Amino acid sequence: MSLVFDLHTHSTASDGILSPELLVRKASTLGINTLALTDHDTVSGLAAAQSAAKKYNVTLINGIELSCLWNNKTIHIVGLNIKADSKTIIDSTVHLNYLREQRAIKIGEKLEKVGIYNAYENAKRIAAGGTITRQHFSTFLIKNGNAKNQSDVFKRYLVNNKPGYASVSWPSLEKTITHINAAGGVPVIAHPLRYKMTATKLRNLINDFKELGGKALEVVTGHNHSSEIELASNYAKRYNMAASVGSDFHNENTTWSQLGRLAKLPDGVTPVWELW
Ligand code: AMP
Ligand code: MN
Ligand code: MN
Ligand code: MN
């Protein structure tokens, strides 16, 4: 039987809908042999995911999705196969969650200026102790009747130049890569084609990433087309990067998100799991 990998997923420890245990159970019923839990800026779901993985006979890779800045742009770097008790990683998650809390308060204040009250309190309640993200504001704004769906709510409220946007001074790409390497993990550029960068910019990002100690690109992600997979795998080959596969599963409604339902890696790229 061939091995099925999904190396980018979210749980209630950040903005996923399933608890770590239910996520692992679902992965197991879908025939996923190797699952990475990669919550935004936290490792708090990993212990529960590991014990569920034993119960459901899944190999659970300890992961994280770290927010960082490169050339003033927010980039997500997935760290795979990290030591979950790494002090470097834990310290950085404390800082990142502080930044997120400050931003969430700001988002709440900004929404209040356009007549939307208690957004921070509601987003916080929806996050239920997990890392607070714009996804939680999105859930509240839809429930509150301010937008009809996720893509609508992001377009109208939660992105730059819109009423519910607040920028964050995330740590640098360099620091982020260093932290993942210090924790024994593999740094991966998450969803490289989702940043809406020009080809030149993306090449510069990959170049810098590699020079700073980055190791892999997410070549197959949730809902990309075969042409995008080919493009991303060509970047991986050209820059001698390993290739990862991850759905970015959050819930059943997000377009890029069906757990484990992923295309195969193209021939000629090195699968990221060969690095551990
Ligand atoms: P944050 O890291 O707090 O800025 O929030 C980013 C999260 O918001 C992503 O991981 C997605 O879950 C969600 N998100 C961002 N942009 C969109 C979008 N255009 N449509 C739907 N969800 C989005
Ligand atoms: Mn998310
Ligand atoms: Mn991401
Ligand atoms: Mn993600």
Side-chain angles (χ1 to χ4, degrees):
M1 208 183 87
S2 71
L3 288 179
V4 179
F5 290 81
D6 191 333
L7 302 177
H8 184 159
T9 65
H10 295 271
S11 75
T12 47
S14 66
D15 54 359
I17 199 78
L18 299 178
S19 67
E21 155 133 34
L22 289 180
L23 177 77
V24 172
R25 190 176 82 172
K26 184 178 167 94
S28 134
T29 63
L30 293 170
I32 296 168
N33 316 86
T34 308
L35 177 77
L37 178 61
T38 56
D39 276 307
H40 295 285
D41 304 323
T42 186
V43 291
S44 68
L46 294 177
Q50 283 295 357
S51 47
K54 284 197 193 83
K55 186 163 151 193
Y56 297 112
N57 203 20
V58 168
T59 300
L60 195 280
I61 301 295
N62 287 329
I64 192 163
E65 181 173 18
L66 291 170
S67 316
C68 72
L69 277 186
W70 174 78
N71 277 352
N72 226 11
K73 196 171 165 44
T74 300
I75 303 292
H76 287 171
I77 303 295
V78 162
L80 292 177
N81 207 30
I82 54 170
K83 292 186 193 83
D85 60 356
S86 153
K87 184 169 173 349
T88 317
I89 287 288
I90 292 168
D91 287 351
S92 72
T93 64
V94 171
H95 175 61
L96 285 157
N97 279 272
Y98 168 78
L99 295 176
R100 283 184 169 279
E101 187 67 22
Q102 299 304 306
R103 175 183 64 164
I105 293 168
K106 259 195 250 164
I107 291 177
E109 289 167 358
K110 288 197 158 181
L111 288 172
E112 212 166 289
K113 290 198 178 127
V114 294
I116 300 169
Y117 299 98
N118 299 318
Y120 167 74
E121 292 73 10
N122 279 286
K124 197 74 188 155
R125 181 181 46 76
I126 294 163
T131 300
I132 189 159
T133 74
R134 283 182 295 162
Q135 179 87 48
H136 301 112
F137 281 93
S138 137
T139 303
F140 164 68
L141 289 167
I142 294 166
K143 276 208 187 109
N144 200 43
N146 302 101
K148 56 180 190 304
N149 57 41
Q150 264 206 42
S151 72
D152 190 37
V153 81
F154 272 89
K155 250 185 262 156
R156 290 175 46 208
Y157 289 99
L158 299 173
V159 293
N160 200 5
N161 296 321
K162 298 294 164 177
Y165 180 78
S167 63
V168 196
S169 298
W170 302 116
S172 67
L173 176 68
E174 179 173 10
K175 265 195 191 154
T176 303
I177 295 171
T178 304
H179 291 160
I180 294 169
N181 281 326
V186 178
V188 185
I189 299 181
H191 40 69
L193 302 181
R194 219 192 281 156
Y195 302 111
K196 300 192 181 93
M197 284 184 192
T198 61
T200 312
K201 258 209 155 164
L202 186 55
R203 283 199 297 266
N204 288 340
L205 168 64
I206 299 170
N207 221 7
D208 286 359
F209 176 71
K210 187 182 161 96
E211 274 181 12
L212 296 168
K215 295 282 170 354
L217 302 183
E218 224 168 61
V219 164
V220 175
T221 68
H223 74 140
N224 52 14
H225 296 268
S226 55
S227 62
E228 293 176 306
I229 295 174
E230 198 183 313
L231 183 61
S233 80
N234 285 339
Y235 281 121
K237 285 184 219 165
R238 178 161 165 189
Y239 290 90
N240 202 15
M241 297 260 109
S244 188
V245 171
S247 62
D248 203 3
F249 177 73
H250 286 74
N251 57 58
E252 300 293 345
N253 304 324
T254 313
T255 45
W256 57 67
S257 67
Q258 296 318 309
L259 192 65
R261 229 174 289 155
L262 289 162
K264 282 209 160 41
L265 275 179
D267 290 338
V269 293
T270 307
V272 68
W273 47 91
E274 288 185 6
L275 303 186
W276 59 70

